[in-house]
Amino acid sequence: MVEMRPTSRLRPSPFYAAALADGLVSASVYNRMILPMSYGDPEAEYWRLINGVSMWDVGVERQVELKGRDAARLAQILSPRKLAGCKTGQGKYVSLCNHAGSLINDPILLKLDEDHFWLSIADSDMWLWARAIANERKLDVEINEPDVSPLAVQGPMAENVVAAMFGDWVRELKYFWFRETEIDGIPVALQRSGWSKQGGFEIYLRDGSMGTRLWNMVKEAGKPWDIGPGAPSSAERVESGLINCGGDNDESTNPFELRLGKYIDLDVDDEVIGIQALRRIAAEGPRRQLLGLVLEGDEPAPLGYQWEQIRHNGELAGAMTTCVWSPRMRANIGYALISAARNAGDSVEVQRTGGTVRAKLVELPFL
Ligand code: THG
């Protein structure tokens, strides 16, 4: 691929210089920012996440800040998950939908105060959306992007690293809860979260001029556990059944089809965007579902940037939205966004560029 150059429209995060210094070799684009992808040894980066601890520049998880008298009301209008019980210091995984009930983003919502929230977003432009909705509904709320950049520390040894930096209180932090604190004068919020199922934390840096310093502090603190730089792992996230919003869904995929139904509360207020459509979809039953796929073959054959068609008994049944080589399963595994009429256990064919490949539908998660 050609070299991609940072510009004001393709922003690097505050950790970018440190990532380059540590040998970053490939990157992608996410939320119109540079997402570091690999430091040259993807296999080692994967095993470090599974067995040890890895640190990731995930500044691309940009924050949409809602602040003001109607901030809580706007947060609820945007999220068809009941937020009434959400406490200050708590985070929640929410499914943002459009009026048709289709998923448009799946952020972590952080409640910093009764009238102050961050939506830590996946890859789509939620400032435009939030501002448009707030203005149409005449809400008293300010919507901005604060100077906040998450640095993920992930893997079974992550807690030790973060405890070495911040103290043993981090061990008591519950999933998605966070604390606003500082380290060596650097303002941060520390949350138990991250896009893996290996456990870990995210340090939300609140002063972009301190990126290299914070990166090097984590690197130093992690030395006893052999920390190394990495990135969100597509192999691990597929093994673990996590959704990549924008990758596993199209413009008409609803949360029920993506196994996110447990994050939808149908009894939220009628003013919540998409709730009427979601109630109807829930009553009718979703037409598609997300299942796992285990493909035949023992050579890595990851999916490119296009979904591949899935056939069952010769009939078009759905699409494979992702496919990765799983080092733990020693197989190519993927997701099938497929007709609700098919079941785990069914044999299907995937139309790959090299030809048809047989695969088996399985329940998620794989591991
Ligand atoms: N961290 C932060 N912001 C983010 C992400 C993150 N924004 C974009 C993207 N990642 C959001 N997507 C997800 C998807 C799944 C999870 C977290 C972020 C996740 N899910 C668990 C699961 O599905 O099992 C737990 C969900 C629950 O039970 O509440 O962790 O990574 N800051």
Side-chain angles (χ1 to χ4, degrees), residues 72-199:
R73 184 165 163 217
L74 177 60
Q76 184 64 84
I77 287 173
L78 297 174
S79 346
R81 178 174 185 179
K82 212 179 277 177
L83 299 176
C86 186
K87 304 271 195 326
T88 294
Q90 190 175 10
K92 293 232 182 220
Y93 181 41
V94 295
S95 298
L96 307 192
C97 295
N98 63 17
H99 298 80
S102 302
L103 186 73
I104 56 172
N105 205 290
D106 69 334
I108 313 283
L109 172 139
L110 292 86
K111 180 169 176 178
L112 291 108
D113 210 336
E114 293 304 325
D115 60 356
H116 188 190
F117 297 81
W118 291 341
L119 293 167
S120 180
I121 60 169
D123 186 14
S124 67
D125 205 327
M126 287 294 117
W127 298 271
L128 283 174
W129 179 254
R131 287 201 183 110
I133 302 296
N135 277 290
E136 292 289 314
R137 309 252 175 139
K138 304 196 170 22
L139 300 181
D140 177 7
V141 57
E142 277 183 48
I143 300 162
N144 287 300
E145 177 169 28
D147 176 4
V148 173
S149 308
L151 174 61
V153 186
Q154 298 288 301
M157 296 299 137
E159 188 176 288
N160 293 329
V161 177
V162 172
M165 290 179 72
F166 291 89
D168 274 329
W169 62 267
V170 307
R171 299 186 190 276
E172 314 305 324
L173 208 53
K174 286 179 282 180
Y175 207 74
F176 285 147
W177 285 70
F178 63 95
R179 189 188 281 189
E180 295 180 74
T181 179
E182 54 145 59
I183 178 129
D184 231 15
I186 306 174
V188 300
L190 179 72
Q191 184 178 39
R192 189 185 288 274
S193 57
W195 203 55
S196 86
K197 290 296 252 183
Q198 305 311 307

